[in-house]
Coordinates of all heavy atoms in Angstrom, one line a residue:
H1 N 2.1 7.3 17.9 CA 3.5 7.5 18.2 C 3.9 9.0 18.0 O 3.6 9.5 16.9 CB 4.4 6.7 17.3 CG 4.0 5.2 17.3 ND1 4.6 4.3 18.1 CD2 3.0 4.5 16.6 CE1 4.0 3.1 17.9 NE2 3.1 3.2 17.0
L2 N 4.5 9.6 18.9 CA 5.0 11.0 18.8 C 6.4 11.0 18.1 O 7.3 10.2 18.4 CB 5.1 11.7 20.1 CG 3.8 12.2 20.7 CD1 4.0 12.8 22.1 CD2 3.0 13.1 19.8
T3 N 6.6 12.0 17.2 CA 7.9 12.3 16.7 C 8.0 13.8 16.5 O 7.0 14.5 16.6 CB 8.2 11.6 15.3 OG1 9.5 11.8 14.9 CG2 7.3 12.2 14.2
N4 N 9.2 14.3 16.3 CA 9.4 15.8 16.1 C 10.5 16.0 15.1 O 11.6 16.2 15.4 CB 9.7 16.4 17.5 CG 9.9 17.9 17.3 OD1 9.6 18.5 16.3 ND2 10.3 18.6 18.4
I5 N 10.1 15.9 13.8 CA 11.1 16.0 12.7 C 10.9 17.3 12.0 O 11.7 17.6 11.1 CB 11.0 14.8 11.8 CG1 9.6 14.7 11.1 CG2 11.4 13.5 12.5 CD1 9.6 13.6 10.1
T6 N 9.8 18.1 12.2 CA 9.6 19.3 11.5 C 8.6 20.2 12.4 O 8.2 19.7 13.4 CB 9.0 19.0 10.1 OG1 8.9 20.3 9.4 CG2 7.6 18.4 10.2
D7 N 8.2 21.3 11.9 CA 7.4 22.2 12.6 C 5.9 21.7 12.7 O 5.3 21.7 13.7 CB 7.5 23.7 12.1 CG 7.1 23.8 10.6 OD1 7.1 22.7 9.9 OD2 6.9 24.9 10.1
T8 N 5.4 21.3 11.5 CA 4.0 20.9 11.5 C 3.8 19.6 10.7 O 3.8 18.5 11.2 CB 3.1 22.0 11.0 OG1 3.6 22.5 9.7 CG2 3.0 23.2 12.0
H9 N 3.7 19.8 9.3 CA 3.2 18.7 8.5 C 4.3 17.7 8.2 O 5.3 18.1 7.6 CB 2.6 19.3 7.2 CG 1.4 20.1 7.4 ND1 0.8 20.8 6.4 CD2 0.6 20.3 8.5 CE1 -0.3 21.4 6.9 NE2 -0.4 21.2 8.1
I10 N 4.0 16.5 8.5 CA 5.0 15.4 8.3 C 5.1 15.0 6.8 O 6.1 14.5 6.4 CB 4.7 14.2 9.2 CG1 5.9 13.3 9.3 CG2 3.5 13.5 8.7 CD1 5.8 12.2 10.4
D11 N 4.0 15.3 6.1 CA 4.0 14.8 4.7 C 4.9 15.6 3.7 O 5.0 15.3 2.6 CB 2.6 14.7 4.1 CG 1.9 16.0 4.1 OD1 2.3 17.0 4.7 OD2 0.8 16.0 3.5
G12 N 5.5 16.6 4.3 CA 6.6 17.4 3.5 C 8.0 16.9 3.8 O 8.9 17.4 3.3
E13 N 8.0 15.9 4.8 CA 9.3 15.4 5.2 C 9.5 13.9 4.9 O 10.5 13.4 4.5 CB 9.5 15.6 6.7 CG 9.4 17.1 7.2 CD 10.5 17.9 6.7 OE1 11.6 17.4 6.7 OE2 10.3 19.1 6.3
V14 N 8.4 13.1 5.2 CA 8.5 11.7 5.0 C 7.1 11.2 4.7 O 6.1 11.6 5.2 CB 9.0 11.0 6.2 CG1 8.2 11.3 7.5 CG2 9.2 9.5 6.0
L15 N 7.0 10.2 3.7 CA 5.8 9.6 3.3 C 6.0 8.1 3.1 O 7.0 7.7 2.5 CB 5.3 10.2 2.0 CG 4.5 11.5 2.0 CD1 4.3 12.1 0.6 CD2 3.1 11.2 2.7
P16 N 5.1 7.3 3.6 CA 5.2 5.8 3.3 C 4.6 5.6 1.9 O 3.5 6.0 1.7 CB 4.4 5.2 4.4 CG 3.4 6.2 4.8 CD 4.0 7.6 4.5
L17 N 5.3 4.8 1.1 CA 4.8 4.5 -0.3 C 4.1 3.2 -0.4 O 3.3 2.9 -1.2 CB 5.9 4.7 -1.3 CG 6.6 6.0 -1.3 CD1 7.7 6.1 -2.4 CD2 5.6 7.1 -1.6
R18 N 4.6 2.3 0.5 CA 4.0 0.9 0.6 C 4.7 0.3 1.8 O 5.7 0.8 2.3 CB 4.2 0.1 -0.7 CG 5.6 -0.3 -1.0 CD 5.6 -1.2 -2.3 NE 7.0 -1.4 -2.8 CZ 7.3 -1.3 -4.0 NH1 6.5 -1.0 -5.0 NH2 8.6 -1.6 -4.4
P19 N 4.2 -0.9 2.3 CA 4.8 -1.5 3.4 C 6.3 -1.8 3.1 O 6.7 -2.4 2.1 CB 4.1 -2.8 3.6 CG 2.7 -2.5 3.1 CD 3.0 -1.6 1.9
G20 N 7.2 -1.2 4.0 CA 8.6 -1.4 3.8 C 9.4 -0.4 3.1 O 10.6 -0.5 3.0
V21 N 8.7 0.7 2.5 CA 9.4 1.7 1.7 C 8.9 3.1 2.1 O 7.7 3.3 2.1 CB 9.1 1.5 0.2 CG1 9.9 2.6 -0.5 CG2 9.6 0.1 -0.2
L22 N 9.8 3.9 2.5 CA 9.5 5.3 2.8 C 10.2 6.3 1.8 O 11.3 6.0 1.3 CB 10.1 5.7 4.2 CG 9.5 5.0 5.4 CD1 10.4 5.3 6.7 CD2 8.1 5.3 5.7
L23 N 9.6 7.4 1.5 CA 10.2 8.5 0.8 C 10.5 9.6 1.8 O 9.6 10.0 2.6 CB 9.3 9.0 -0.3 CG 9.7 10.3 -1.0 CD1 11.0 10.0 -1.8 CD2 8.6 10.8 -1.9
A24 N 11.7 10.1 1.9 CA 12.1 11.0 2.9 C 13.1 12.1 2.4 O 13.9 11.8 1.5 CB 12.7 10.4 4.1
R25 N 13.0 13.3 2.9 CA 13.9 14.3 2.6 C 15.3 13.9 3.1 O 15.4 13.1 4.1 CB 13.6 15.6 3.3 CG 12.4 16.4 2.7 CD 12.2 17.7 3.3 NE 13.3 18.6 3.3 CZ 13.3 19.9 3.7 NH1 12.1 20.4 4.1 NH2 14.3 20.6 3.6
D26 N 16.3 14.5 2.5 CA 17.7 14.1 2.9 C 18.0 14.5 4.3 O 19.0 14.0 4.9 CB 18.7 14.6 1.9 CG 18.6 16.1 1.8 OD1 17.7 16.7 2.3 OD2 19.5 16.7 1.1

């Protein structure tokens, strides 16, 4: 799936911690 939320690395913007829970920048 394509997304465009930042320039390169997505793991500085959003990370899945377990099924059903994301950690994301504001």
